[in-house]
Amino acid sequence: MTAPIEVSGSEGEAQPDAVLAGVDRKAIQGRSLGQIAWLRLKRDKVAIAGGIVVLILIVLSLPGVTGLVVGWFGSPPNEFHQNLVDATLGGPTKPLGGMSGDHIFGVEPINGRDLFSRVLYGARVSLLIGVLATLVSVVIGTVMGITAGYFGGWVDTLIARTMDVFLAFPLVLFAISLVGVIPNSLAGLEGNNLRIAILVFIIGFFNWPYIGRIIRGQTMSLREREFVDAARSMGARNSYILFKEILPNLVAPILVYSTLLIPTNILFEAALSFLGVGINPPDPSWGGMLSQATELYSVAPHFVIVPGLAIFVTVLAFNLFGDGLRDALDPRAR
């Protein structure tokens, strides 16, 4: 028989400090899901560029910042400059649409209003309506979707058929007819403030089924997961399971779809303003500026290009950021 091999304590015991000598402990530190998603998002340069543009637009649309920037690079949005417009043709007298150090985007034909300030103030209206309408859609769609997906049965059938009705509703025609008959004042609001509130209600209330269907499908998948069964076995109420177990797992799709819904709502508001049922002049809006430009594009083509580019850049930036955010939060969806 051979003698057993004896292992001394110094050789057989693990030596953590010796093994990890020279290793940066911070480099192997665990990361949360949010940190992992942020690292993925940072690697997507296109999404980061879109996010920077979105952030710049939001900052420039803040009430104090807008007035400050307009004071530096332009003039008030409703201030006329007849001396910069040809009295016969109606177009700007200076080349490139009247672009200069005082009017970096040029001036409008006929009245000579500063295009830069009007685009900037129009961005405030578009972002305000787009964000608030998205918030309304997300709140209603999340509540209805998570209720239908979790309870199922007749509740799911009723909410699903309601979604079908809303999706089949002629929203544009309804918006045109409703905005056209609203009074001058209602519930303490008047003028364009009332129109903004009506547009937020119409766009947000009738668009919730889109996010509702997504949340419904995600909830139907989550309700079969083990952590939900564990919560039920411990006697948790439905309200606890919905808001403490399922809803936190829906934050990612809600956030992603919100960033993709905002540009859609911005386009819808611009379309309504283009048709004359959005923001009333003289307050600026991108759709209203394009509507006026259709009659003057032969005299001043820049009057079409500037607000058109503003809409294009804003919608593109939101879409790029939303796509990158989706890939960062759910890499399997690529």
Side-chain angles (χ1 to χ4, degrees):
M1 296 178 62
T2 58
I5 300 176
E6 296 183 359
V7 180
S8 63
S10 59
E11 294 178 356
E13 295 179 358
Q15 304 293 328
D17 293 336
V19 172
L20 297 177
V23 177
D24 186 3
R25 296 176 183 267
K26 293 183 179 180
I28 60 175
Q29 185 178 5
R31 298 186 178 95
S32 66
L33 294 177
Q35 292 173 326
I36 295 174
W38 170 242
L39 290 175
R40 294 196 194 104
L41 184 61
K42 285 197 302 183
R43 290 195 290 266
D44 192 342
K45 304 303 181 183
V46 176
I48 291 296
I52 292 174
V53 173
V54 169
L55 183 61
I56 292 174
L57 287 171
I58 293 174
V59 172
L60 291 178
S61 299
L62 298 176
V65 178
T66 304
L68 186 64
V69 174
V70 167
W72 289 342
F73 301 104
S75 58
N78 293 321
E79 183 177 291
F80 288 8
H81 301 88
Q82 299 289 352
N83 58 315
L84 301 178
V85 178
D86 191 305
T88 304
L89 300 177
T93 55
K94 294 183 178 180
L96 299 177
M99 294 183 183
S100 64
D102 296 327
H103 307 282
I104 58 177
F105 284 178
V107 296
E108 286 186 353
I110 308 299
N111 50 47
R113 291 181 296 190
D114 183 65
L115 269 180
F116 174 75
S117 63
R118 292 187 65 79
V119 166
L120 209 55
Y121 277 93
R124 179 190 298 181
V125 173
S126 295
L127 290 176
L128 179 64
I129 294 176
V131 171
L132 291 181
T134 300
L135 182 61
V136 172
S137 297
V138 167
V139 171
I140 300 176
T142 300
V143 172
M144 301 296 281
I146 197 174
T147 302
Y150 179 76
F151 290 103
W154 68 268
V155 176
D156 182 27
T157 302
L158 178 62
I159 295 178
R161 297 296 77 77
T162 304
M163 291 181 184
D164 293 336
V165 172
F166 273 82
L167 291 173
F169 204 81
L171 182 55
V172 176
L173 296 178
F174 177 77
I176 293 174
S177 60
L178 181 60
V179 176
V181 299
I182 59 174
N184 294 328
S185 61
L186 181 66
L189 299 174
E190 59 182 4
N192 280 328
N193 290 331
L194 177 59
R195 283 180 168 263
I196 290 176
I198 294 295
L199 289 175
V200 168
F201 169 76
I202 294 174
I203 299 173
F205 182 73
F206 287 93
N207 278 335
W208 69 263
Y210 295 100
I211 190 170
R213 282 189 165 182
I214 294 175
I215 299 302
R216 172 179 172 269
Q218 294 285 336
T219 303
M220 293 176 68
S221 174
L222 289 172
R223 73 180 182 182
E224 306 298 333
R225 301 287 292 275
E226 292 80 2
F227 63 88
V228 175
D229 292 335
R232 286 199 194 101
S233 65
M234 296 177 66
R237 298 180 178 179
N238 289 329
S239 58
Y240 178 89
I241 296 175
L242 284 173
F243 295 103
K244 296 295 185 179
E245 300 289 346
I246 294 180
L247 187 59
N249 289 279
L250 296 173
V251 171
I254 290 173
L255 186 60
V256 170
Y257 193 79
S258 298
T259 58
L260 297 175
L261 188 59
I262 290 175
T264 303
N265 292 338
I266 290 175
L267 286 175
F268 192 82
E269 180 276 327
L272 292 179
S273 295
F274 181 85
L275 295 173
V277 293
I279 305 301
N280 281 333
D283 291 349
S285 67
W286 291 343
M289 294 171 67
L290 283 175
S291 179
Q292 299 172 10
T294 55
E295 302 176 357
L296 302 168
Y297 69 91
S298 60
V299 177
H302 76 289
F303 193 22
V304 180
I305 296 173
V306 172
L309 277 178
I311 297 174
F312 173 78
V313 170
T314 302
V315 172
L316 180 63
F318 270 106
N319 286 332
L320 293 177
F321 179 68
D323 288 340
L325 190 62
R326 179 193 59 197
D327 294 338
L329 294 174
D330 188 7
R332 295 172 300 178
R334 293 186 178 183

